[in-house]
């Protein structure tokens, strides 16, 4: 029997760990139940940190952990999934193709930034979405030092005033000063079509976010969008022109394209609809998890968000349940009651909220300490030691905040 997991993000990593944990508990051997993980690169990209400097350092190795728990790593990108013959076609880095059959499949392919068809965006827009994007932005910011300090060189426009846009924007003044020196005059402007900053964060945290932005001198343009980008700046939908050296696109996410290969219903974000065990509805043998799945967290109408916090726990349930079906043991319905957010606000600290109504629990330096702990410890893979790695993946205990 073979369980195949596609994707080595937070969800894929925990799907592999929890499937291996259940196999171990049930006393099945790796020959009886093979667990294979397909990904282009055997590293976990720490996506939640990609707005930080030195993005090339923001990965963690996975190969040793996978070896320690007898999970087979298959290098490549899954190109097609045939759910009738239960086969995945993989393109390898060397240009070869190979097929891998499965008895159960876990789709953990994550998400990507949605880039609308706006003139100039593809040529002039940067992002902090994937590792390559963050590295390209970092190279660009360093290249600004070779330009004269005029014509908006030190100005950054961030399109999108949600979680990612705020974290990228509030980090920029310090990053620009570090690169351009003390004479730099960083100007950061958030542009959002919504009428206020952080539309999803609600009324409670908003004044605190606005105060942090004021403190850092970050400006806002709300109720307008970016209509066009060119090499010297942006034009907004109300006609305003902003000369700037950098544009960061941070507006909207979509499930990765592989989800379109699964003949099932998807939501507006392209996420596959799943049942409480994270099985894709009406496609036998296929589970979906993390940012690739739309899953209910509870019985009162809350659904998992595209977040590391949900992806990690959903991964653990999906891997466990896919293995449980093959091992003939009961599955465990996914549930996730606790929900917290920890928003980095650059040199103005951070903001920590708890619950779906986002009750503020910590602000400033105290919240920043927690953010650092989350970003440098909690979200990293477990040690490459078999017992510790397997123990870290008990679905009931993963991200139990
Ligand atoms: C700048 C930024 C800040 C963020 N901040 C936070 C935060 O503070 N808190 C929080 O909870 N979340 C945050 N997030 C969101 C969080 O990073 C995502 O929700 C999380 O990464 C989702 O995990 P995942 O495993 O589902 O997908 P991903 O982490 O996207 O991983 C997907 C994996 O699938 C692989 N893959 C994709 N397609 C294929 C294919 N066809 N074949 C093989 N492999 C494939 C990819 O290579 C990757 O390994 C942030 C995201 C960004 C970009």
């Amino acid at each position: 029997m073979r369980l195949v997991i596609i994707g080595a993000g937070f969800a894929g990593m925990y799907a592999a760990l929890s499937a291996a944990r259940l196999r171990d508990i049930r006393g099945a051997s790796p020959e009886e139940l093979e667990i294979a993980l397909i990904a282009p690169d055997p590293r976990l990209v720490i996506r939640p940190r990609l707005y930080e400097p030195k993005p090339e350092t923001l990965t963690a190795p996975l190969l040793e952990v996978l070896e320690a728990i007898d999970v087979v790593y298959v290098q490549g990108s899954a190109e097609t999934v045939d759910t009738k013959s239960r086969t995945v076609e993989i393109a390898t880095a060397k240009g070869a193709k190979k097929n891998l059959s499965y008895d159960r499949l876990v789709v953990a392919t994550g998400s990507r930034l949605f880039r609308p068809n706006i003139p100039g965006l593809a040529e002039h827009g940067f992002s902090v979405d994937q590792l390559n994007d963050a590295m390209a932005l970092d190279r660009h910011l360093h290249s600004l030092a070779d330009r004269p300090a005029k014509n908006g060189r030190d100005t950054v426009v961030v399109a999108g005033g949600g979680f990612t846009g705020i974290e990228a924007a509030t980090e920029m003044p310090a990053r620009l000063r570090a690169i351009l020196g003390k004479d730099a005059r960083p100007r950061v402007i958030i542009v959002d079509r919504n009428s206020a900053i952080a539309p999803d964060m609600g009324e409670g945290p908003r004044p605190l976010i606005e105060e942090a932005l004021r403190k850092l001198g970050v400006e806002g343009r709300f109720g307008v969008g970016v209509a066009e980008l060119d090499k010297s700046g942006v034009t907004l939908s109300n006609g305003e022109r902003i000369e700037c050296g950098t544009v960061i696109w941070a507006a909207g996410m979509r499930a990765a394209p592989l989800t379109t290969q699964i003949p099932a219903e998807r939501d507006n974000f392209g996420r596959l609809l799943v049942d409480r065990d994270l099985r894709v509805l009406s496609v036998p043998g296929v589970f979906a998890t993390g940012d690739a799945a739309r899953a209910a967290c509870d019985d009162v109408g809350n659904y998992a968000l595209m977040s590391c916090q949900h992806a990690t726990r959903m991964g653990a349930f999906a891997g466990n349940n896919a293995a449980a079906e093959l091992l003939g043991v009961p599955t465990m319905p996914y549930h996730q009651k606790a929900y917290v957010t920890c928003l980095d606000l650059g040199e103005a600290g951070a903001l920590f909220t708890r619950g779906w109504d986002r009750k503020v629990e910590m602000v400033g330096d105290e919240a920043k300490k927690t953010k650092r702990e989350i970003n440098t410890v909690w979200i990293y893979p477990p040690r490459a030691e078999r017992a510790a790695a397997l123990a870290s993946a008990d679905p009931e205990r993963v991200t139990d905040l």
Side-chain angles (χ1 to χ4, degrees), residues 2-7 15 36-38 78 80-83 86-90 100-109 258 261-263 272 278-280 283-289 318-319 321-323 325-326:
R2 184 184 289 137
L3 191 172
V4 171
I5 298 160
I6 310 178
L37 182 141
I38 307 168
T80 48
V81 178
D82 183 337
T83 55
R86 298 198 178 196
T87 310
V88 182
E89 188 186 50
I90 303 158
L100 195 64
S101 63
Y102 65 83
D103 297 287
R104 291 292 179 280
L105 177 69
V106 176
V107 178
T109 44
L258 195 84
Q261 303 258 339
I262 310 295
L272 292 158
L278 306 181
R279 269 183 222 98
V280 175
V283 186
V286 180
F287 290 72
T289 191
N321 290 346
E325 284 193 350
L326 294 174

Side-chain angles (χ1 to χ4, degrees), residues 9 16 117 120 162 204:
N117 198 9

Side-chain angles (χ1 to χ4, degrees), residues 47 108-113 129-130 253-257 291-292 306:
R47 279 182 84 196
T109 44
S111 59
R112 294 199 186 157
L113 178 68
D129 185 46
Q130 306 289 324
M253 304 284 274
R254 293 289 183 278
D291 283 6
M306 285 181 167

Side-chain angles (χ1 to χ4, degrees), residues 7-11 40 47-48 78 108-110 163-164 291 306-309 311 371:
F10 297 93
R47 279 182 84 196
T109 44
F163 206 94
T164 312
D291 283 6
M306 285 181 167
S307 82
C308 187
Q309 188 182 148
K371 182 73 176 177

Side-chain angles (χ1 to χ4, degrees), residues 218-238:
V218 174
E219 302 168 38
R221 301 284 188 278
F222 298 105
V224 288
V226 171
E228 198 173 334
L229 294 79
D230 56 55
K231 66 177 177 12
S232 56
V234 298
T235 308
L236 305 187
S237 53
N238 62 359

Side-chain angles (χ1 to χ4, degrees), residues 6-13 38-41 43-51 76-79 108-112 128-130 163-164 167-168 253 256-258 289-292 305-312 340 342-344 371 374-375:
I6 310 178
F10 297 93
M13 170 178 78
I38 307 168
D41 189 20
R43 291 184 298 172
L44 178 71
V45 174
I46 313 296
R47 279 182 84 196
R49 297 185 61 182
L50 290 180
Y51 57 91
S77 185
E79 285 210 326
T109 44
S111 59
R112 294 199 186 157
V128 289
D129 185 46
Q130 306 289 324
F163 206 94
T164 312
E167 290 195 328
M253 304 284 274
L258 195 84
T289 191
D291 283 6
L305 300 174
M306 285 181 167
S307 82
C308 187
Q309 188 182 148
H310 289 104
T312 304
V340 303
C342 197
L343 178 68
D344 202 339
K371 182 73 176 177
I374 293 171
N375 273 1

